Amino acid sequence: MAAAAAALSPFLYLDPNQRQHFHIHLNPTKTPPFLSSRNPLLSLQRLHQCNCRCSFPSSSPNSVTPSQYYSFLDDPFRGSRFLSNEELEKLKALESFVYLQELESGSLWVRVMRNEEMDLTAGLLAESFAESMLMPLGYGALLRFLVKQYLIERRAVMPHAVTLVGFYRDKGGEKGNELAGTVEVCFDKRGANASPPTPIPPKNSPYICNMTVTKQLRRRGIGWHLLKASEELLSQMASTKEVYLHCRMIDEAPFNMYIKAGYNVVQTDSVLILLTLQRRKHLMCKKLPVYNSLYESDMSESGEELLS
């Protein structure tokens, strides 16, 4: 009963098989609302055979929706905050960001979530959270509402943080474009969450969190490419190239995936964290390559291909 009255702050962690791993923070000393939007709620185009890069194209024949252009300046959830010239340039870059990948069973493309996709994204995150916590179906509507409020709040800090969504189309094209997954990317201190999980990452450093993959599309490599899309975006947008993420100590599969992707453990929760009914977590870090331009990024990849 005490746990039911506690504040919950779930964080998703993804393993290579696309199963969901949740981090639940329980604080039995407080009894605030069921979830808090102050915490993380669920914690350039270059296609070459089966490999791809990210880009900021002015237009693309493979756009996810019929509309080739989308302006985040017109987004009703962006708020009325004044944007500097630098922020405007970053916002324009986010408008056209796309990551393309050919998978064995179909195609995946990842871009920034648009306003009309917020309900769909909130539904995916809420469903994944409810599945992990074995919650009754009656909580579904409440979870979707709370997740959407969190997404709206995060939307207001663009371009300092962004929610990416991935869409999948099978090779037959019979099902059309399906929402495949989502991930949140924070670029700097202004995009950082107010109450990050422990061990606390540097607030001015990029941070990746809240990954989830649609249940029926797991085990296809989608989670891996959500991670790679996040890294590619950070390589182009973030001023600091050391990116951080969390992984629970009990989650061996995602830990191995992060190690394979080049992440190293920099700090681990003290055993005393167990007294707060939290799982111990690793804080992991990876130093991303620095590209001064898209041309330099493409040339670097071409050199790697020639040497391989």
Side-chain angles (χ1 to χ4, degrees), residues 275-293:
L275 298 177
T276 65
L277 303 182
Q278 299 180 37
R279 296 283 190 180
R280 295 181 69 191
K281 303 174 298 299
H282 294 302
L283 177 64
M284 306 185 73
C285 177
K286 175 181 179 179
K287 190 168 185 178
L288 300 176
V290 178
Y291 298 130
N292 295 324
S293 65

Side-chain angles (χ1 to χ4, degrees), residues 64-131:
V64 174
T65 65
S67 175
Q68 293 263 343
Y69 177 76
Y70 185 88
S71 174
F72 291 121
L73 287 174
D74 300 328
D75 195 313
F77 296 119
R78 192 189 62 79
S80 56
R81 180 174 59 88
F82 175 79
L83 297 179
S84 65
N85 290 337
E86 181 182 0
E87 288 176 313
L88 287 172
E89 289 300 316
K90 289 183 177 180
L91 204 62
K92 290 178 181 179
L94 290 174
E95 289 171 359
S96 52
F97 170 80
V98 60
Y99 173 99
L100 302 176
Q101 180 67 38
E102 282 295 319
L103 306 176
E104 185 177 343
S105 57
S107 301
L108 174 72
W109 50 100
V110 181
R111 59 161 169 74
V112 177
M113 180 188 69
R114 297 177 178 177
N115 174 38
E116 64 269 19
E117 296 155 354
M118 188 173 293
D119 286 332
L120 194 61
T121 305
L124 172 59
L125 290 168
E127 179 183 350
S128 297
F129 176 58
E131 175 190 354

Side-chain angles (χ1 to χ4, degrees), residues 16-34:
N17 294 322
Q18 316 312 323
R19 295 178 58 188
Q20 309 312 310
H21 294 268
F22 296 83
H23 222 170
I24 307 305
H25 286 200
L26 303 177
N27 188 344
T29 64
K30 298 181 181 180
T31 56
F34 180 63

Side-chain angles (χ1 to χ4, degrees), residues 155-283:
R155 193 78 165 178
V157 303
M158 285 180 64
H160 301 282
V162 71
T163 299
L164 300 180
V165 288
F167 288 87
Y168 174 83
R169 177 191 289 269
D170 60 30
K171 288 190 174 179
E174 298 176 358
K175 296 184 179 179
N177 303 333
E178 299 179 78
L179 178 63
T182 182
V183 60
E184 182 178 330
V185 181
C186 304
F187 298 108
D188 52 37
K189 183 177 181 178
R190 295 182 66 179
N193 283 280
S195 302
T198 59
I200 298 176
K203 280 209 166 185
N204 201 40
S205 294
Y207 180 66
I208 297 174
C209 61
N210 298 347
M211 283 191 197
T212 185
V213 175
T214 301
K215 187 175 181 179
Q216 62 269 25
L217 294 177
R218 296 170 190 171
R219 302 178 183 273
R220 306 190 188 199
I222 291 173
W224 173 267
H225 289 292
L226 286 173
L227 178 63
K228 303 315 288 184
S230 302
E231 292 178 351
E232 291 288 357
L233 180 58
L234 287 168
S235 292
Q236 298 295 328
M237 296 282 290
S239 58
T240 303
K241 301 307 178 183
E242 289 187 345
V243 58
Y244 290 81
L245 51 79
H246 283 96
C247 181
R248 298 189 307 179
M249 290 183 66
I250 64 170
D251 293 333
E252 182 178 353
F255 178 78
N256 291 336
M257 183 190 77
Y258 294 138
I259 292 294
K260 181 181 178 180
Y263 290 83
N264 297 302
V265 175
V266 294
Q267 191 176 351
T268 301
D269 273 329
S270 165
V271 68
L272 297 178
I273 199 72
L274 299 175
L275 298 177
T276 65
L277 303 182
Q278 299 180 37
R279 296 283 190 180
R280 295 181 69 191
K281 303 174 298 299
H282 294 302
L283 177 64

